[in-house]
């Protein structure tokens, strides 16, 4: 798994999915200014990367959530990866909309679930965990069980950890921000000074742009 994770991170940097710019930081929807941006929606356009991600996520779920019976994709970026993983495991798949439909049956969860199912939700990116936890709540409100959440990447913010703990839902990322910057440093993609600056951002992202 570690070797595959390293390969995936290398592919993400080479394909421009990970972008670096400490001089003109990227702005998240939350308002955080970041020197690193991960556009994980691009991963579906690269067959080898897409396959490696499916393999790694499948192994992660088998290891961390051995009782899983259904794979759920969180709309929209988690859906294609959930489809690949569900196919690899030969599991049923569902996906969860951000909001219930405003027409037809008004469903928020598409696909079939039973009360005995153990659902693992897949999302691409976790910052605070808000969107995937809303999806998890929708599954729970439907009377079904969320065994856990996995993601391709997590920034590893304390906010996310607190939110998952408060919701009582296990969370396991495939890749983390700490892994990413360590690999960038090891491969000399960034300098030691840049590594320190990126690490400082991670310690206090809300105030980083002011420092």
């Amino acid at each position: 798994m570690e070797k595959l994770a390293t390969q995936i991170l290398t592919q993400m940097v080479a394909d421009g999915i990970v972008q670096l710019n400490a001089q003109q930081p990227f702005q998240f929807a939350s308002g955080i200014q970041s020197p690193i941006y991960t556009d994980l929606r691009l991963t579906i356009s690269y067959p080898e990367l897409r396959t490696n991600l499916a393999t790694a996520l499948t192994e992660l779920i088998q290891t961390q959530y051995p009782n899983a019976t259904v794979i759920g994709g969180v709309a929209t970026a988690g859906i294609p990866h959930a489809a690949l993983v569900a196919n690899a495991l030969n599991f049923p798949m569902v996906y969860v909309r951000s909001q219930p439909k405003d027409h037809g049956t008004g469903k928020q969860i598409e696909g079939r679930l039973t009360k005995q199912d153990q659902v693992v939700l897949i999302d691409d990116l976790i910052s605070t965990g808000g969107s995937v936890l809303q999806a998890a709540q929708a599954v729970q409100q439907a009377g079904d069980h969320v065994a856990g959440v996995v993601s391709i990447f997590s920034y590893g913010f304390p906010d996310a950890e607190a939110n998952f703990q408060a919701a009582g839902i296990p969370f396991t990322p495939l890749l983390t921000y700490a892994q990413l910057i360590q690999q960038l440093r090891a491969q000399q993609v960034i300098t030691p000074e840049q590594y320190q600056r990126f690490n400082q951002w991670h310690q206090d992202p809300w105030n980083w742009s002011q420092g």
Side-chain angles (χ1 to χ4, degrees), residues 32-92:
I32 290 175
Q33 299 284 324
S34 171
I36 292 182
Y37 183 71
T38 52
D39 190 356
L40 294 169
R41 294 174 187 271
L42 293 174
T43 57
I44 59 174
S45 296
Y46 298 90
E48 183 180 0
L49 174 59
R50 187 178 66 212
T51 300
N52 285 340
L53 283 168
T55 299
L57 288 169
T58 298
E59 183 178 333
L60 185 67
I61 290 169
Q62 289 176 316
T63 301
Q64 297 295 323
Y65 306 106
N67 295 325
T69 61
V70 174
I71 302 301
V74 177
T76 54
I79 293 175
H81 299 288
L84 292 168
V85 172
N87 191 60
L89 291 168
N90 196 30
F91 279 4

Side-chain angles (χ1 to χ4, degrees), residues 11 13 70 92-93 171:
Q11 289 175 300
V13 174
V70 174
M93 177 193 158
F171 166 57

Side-chain angles (χ1 to χ4, degrees), residues 21 24-38 125-129 154-160 163 177 197-198 200-210:
N21 196 332
Q24 294 181 311
F26 306 94
Q27 182 164 329
F28 292 171
S30 61
I32 290 175
Q33 299 284 324
S34 171
I36 292 182
Y37 183 71
T38 52
L125 174 70
I126 300 295
S127 53
T128 63
S154 171
Y155 281 101
F157 294 149
D159 299 26
N163 289 339
Y177 180 86
R197 185 154 172 74
F198 291 164
Q200 287 169 0
W201 171 82
H202 188 244
Q203 293 172 11
D204 189 8
W206 286 102
N207 296 311
W208 180 84
S209 62
Q210 303 170 17

Side-chain angles (χ1 to χ4, degrees), residues 119-147:
V119 183
V120 172
L121 293 173
I122 296 179
D123 207 352
D124 65 333
L125 174 70
I126 300 295
S127 53
T128 63
S131 59
V132 74
L133 285 171
Q134 287 180 355
Q137 185 178 41
V139 173
Q140 292 172 328
Q141 288 176 344
D144 301 301
H145 182 72
V146 178

